[in-house]
Amino acid sequence: MYRITCVVGTRPEAIKMAPLILTLKKDKRFAVTVLATGQHTEMLHQALSHFGIAADVDLNIMRDRQTLDHITSAVLTGVGGFLDESPQDMLLVHGDTSTTLAAALAGFYRHIPVGHVEAGLRSHDMSLPFPEEANRVLTDQLATLFFAPTRGDAENLKREGLSRTGKKLSHTSRIHVTGNTVIDALFWTLKNLKNRPEPEALQDIPEDAPLILMTAHRRESWGEPLHRICGAVADLLRERPEIHILIPLHKNPTVREAIRRDLGAFAEGTPPQVIFTEPLNYPDFVSVMDRSLFILSDSGGIQEEASALKKPVLILRTLSERPDAVTQGTGVLVGTDPERILSEARRLLDNAAYRQSFASRESAPFGDGTASVKIRDIIAQYLEAGA
Ligand code: UD1
Ligand code: UDP
């Protein structure tokens, strides 16, 4: 059996690795270890548990208001120690977090082939998103196999010379376009959503009331940009007393404090215009995405999910490393400029035909829900070739 360790550290890694972990575990060729770095605690385990996955190893590194240095060094030492005790045939990392980069480096130092799931995304600006753009660029320098969600992502890798063959890989076999595993996770969850009661967070809101979903957490938005976003949302709430905005607050204290400070006053009415909740479990979050008129978010994963759900998402960033979300999906880049946020939000609220135009989009830029199976087959082929 081939020994494969799947590393997860944060909520999005858990959600996006879960379908692949389940697919690999079902296959007798693989002995799978789920290694949680514990960069996130509650949010990581909340996400894993929805898929019935428990970590086999938990490094439990999270500290309150942790620094990038702490995450990177603790993950490097922790994953390295694990690999020294339990040598692996392959290490799988996901995306662009500090867990991703440090775990890939630990694998690289031990000559263990690293498979990068969600490889090749690029904003081409090292400060946006920060530090994720650097994490993904550096991880791709260390990886052996790349699972690129889209053709554009694969092109980015080729342009950087990463299709270059080592002696054990043929020229074309490092970079593979697979779709994004988040679509697998989303479809898996939608199938199991039927007969689920409405999320508790929505119980105080009249059924036909206009609902908007909002999330924000990016490091580069801390301070003034987040304040500007909240200012635009406050203006919208004053202008439209009939709307409700559900905000599942990220556990990051810097972010929760800032959002509560700026929008807390709107959470006091009955029913409140702003509903703050703890992070929602994944099926409740999917169900709220589906029920909302549109989404306001700076999240990466939500841009992909919104495209699959045909739900408009106003992307609170100046550029996206997921260009297909904007060109083929349902994303509209609004940045953090209050006027732009307000005008796009008004257009979505007032113009039903415009809203409908998102719902009727045919394209599925992030895949068809079969990414995990494709990745499993590529890994098997690579390992069976004795590479
Ligand atoms: C991290 C990732 C980011 C990813 C995001 C997904 C890095 C540098 N950042 O950002 O790329 O988009 O996760 O959500 O890798 N906390 C808790 N409980 C939790 C999770 C977080 O209390 O379950 C608090 C802790 O005080 C922690 C802080 O949030 O120190 C920040 O967590 P951290 O992982 O450093 O940054 P995120 O903003 O979550
Ligand atoms: N999500 C969730 N509950 C929430 C908010 C988000 O399950 O309360 C899911 C969301 O559907 C997506 C992922 O978490 O799959 C996105 O995580 P996040 O925004 O923290 O990180 P990013 O994608 O920006 O890295």
Side-chain angles (χ1 to χ4, degrees):
M1 283 215 288
Y2 298 112
R3 292 155 304 176
I4 299 192
T5 287
C6 301
V7 181
V8 289
T10 65
R11 169 171 66 191
E13 289 164 80
I15 292 169
K16 291 169 159 186
M17 281 294 249
L20 179 57
I21 291 170
L22 295 176
T23 303
L24 292 172
K25 273 182 181 255
K26 263 194 268 171
D27 192 315
K28 294 202 166 35
R29 289 172 293 180
F30 305 113
V32 180
T33 301
V34 177
L35 189 161
T37 64
Q39 175 177 339
H40 284 176
T41 50
E42 304 97 316
M43 285 166 56
L44 176 74
H45 295 291
Q46 179 188 43
L48 283 177
S49 71
H50 163 60
F51 296 93
I53 298 172
D56 300 299
V57 181
D58 191 348
L59 302 176
N60 212 3
I61 63 129
M62 197 190 83
R63 305 254 173 87
D64 194 30
R65 294 173 203 261
Q66 60 204 357
T67 62
L68 297 176
D69 297 0
H70 164 70
I71 309 168
T72 310
S73 52
V75 171
L76 178 61
T77 314
V79 174
F82 164 78
L83 293 174
D84 287 340
E85 278 175 24
S86 316
Q88 299 291 305
D89 297 302
M90 176 159 280
L91 191 67
L92 293 179
V93 298
H94 180 280
D96 55 19
T97 69
S98 295
T99 282
T100 316
L101 170 61
L105 189 56
F108 175 79
Y109 282 160
R110 288 159 183 79
H111 306 288
I112 296 171
V114 173
H116 188 194
V117 183
E118 201 180 81
L121 279 66
R122 297 289 184 268
S123 71
H124 305 289
D125 179 338
M126 280 296 200
S127 63
L128 289 173
F130 178 88
E132 290 81 4
E133 179 74 0
N135 286 343
R136 54 171 92 103
V137 168
L138 296 170
T139 299
D140 285 332
Q141 293 299 322
L142 303 169
T144 302
L145 286 181
F146 304 103
F147 306 112
T150 69
R151 283 185 189 290
D153 303 328
E155 285 307 314
N156 288 333
L157 294 165
K158 287 179 194 158
R159 264 197 298 274
E160 290 171 19
L162 291 168
S163 50
R164 198 174 57 236
T165 147
K167 60 178 183 302
K168 293 169 182 165
L169 285 165
S170 74
H171 190 71
T172 53
S173 61
R174 283 185 84 192
I175 302 172
H176 303 267
V177 179
T178 59
N180 196 309
T181 54
V182 78
I183 306 300
D184 306 18
L186 180 68
F187 288 180
W188 191 88
T189 302
L190 284 171
K191 237 193 311 181
N192 298 311
L193 264 192
K194 290 182 196 91
N195 305 325
R196 213 182 138 81
E198 183 177 71
E200 214 180 298
L202 291 180
Q203 277 171 6
D204 291 339
I205 307 174
E207 223 169 272
D208 51 354
L211 178 71
I212 299 167
L213 173 63
M214 172 174 166
T215 79
H217 72 82
R218 300 240 77 86
R219 256 185 164 79
E220 68 273 12
S221 295
W222 293 0
E224 197 43 42
L226 186 55
H227 188 54
R228 281 200 299 273
I229 293 169
C230 290
V233 170
D235 286 347
L236 188 68
L237 287 162
R238 275 188 285 268
E239 190 180 294
R240 312 285 174 120
E242 73 283 7
I243 64 174
H244 297 268
I245 304 192
L246 181 74
I247 309 180
L249 288 167
H250 193 285
K251 280 282 181 193
N252 190 329
T254 307
V255 169
R256 332 171 47 97
E257 285 160 12
I259 297 179
R260 273 194 188 280
R261 193 168 46 239
D262 285 351
L263 296 175
F266 295 95
E268 280 156 19
T270 333
Q273 263 194 294
V274 167
I275 303 103
F276 290 122
T277 68
E278 287 302 312
L280 294 178
N281 63 45
Y282 189 56
D284 278 357
F285 192 77
V286 170
S287 144
V288 176
M289 280 196 280
D290 209 31
R291 151 91 166 78
S292 303
L293 284 182
F294 64 92
I295 303 166
L296 276 167
S297 181
D298 63 7
S299 158
I302 293 169
Q303 294 172 50
E304 296 149 351
E305 291 160 344
S307 287
L309 292 168
K310 318 273 180 224
K311 196 58 69 177
V313 54
L314 300 185
I315 305 169
L316 303 166
R317 305 193 195 184
T318 44
L319 47 86
S320 174
E321 66 283 30
R322 293 160 166 91
D324 299 311
V326 180
T327 55
Q328 294 183 52
T330 57
V332 182
L333 272 180
V334 292
T336 59
D337 169 37
E339 271 317 307
R340 179 110 170 89
I341 297 171
L342 266 173
S343 67
E344 283 297 334
R346 286 187 192 120
R347 188 172 174 207
L348 282 166
L349 285 168
D350 296 339
N351 188 338
Y354 177 56
R355 257 194 341 261
Q356 193 50 39
S357 71
F358 291 90
S360 49
R361 290 195 185 167
E362 288 300 324
S363 61
F366 300 106
D368 58 4
T370 58
S372 305
V373 170
K374 291 188 182 115
I375 294 172
R376 176 201 62 197
D377 292 347
I378 296 159
I379 292 172
Q381 206 181 13
Y382 172 82
L383 292 172
E384 281 161 6

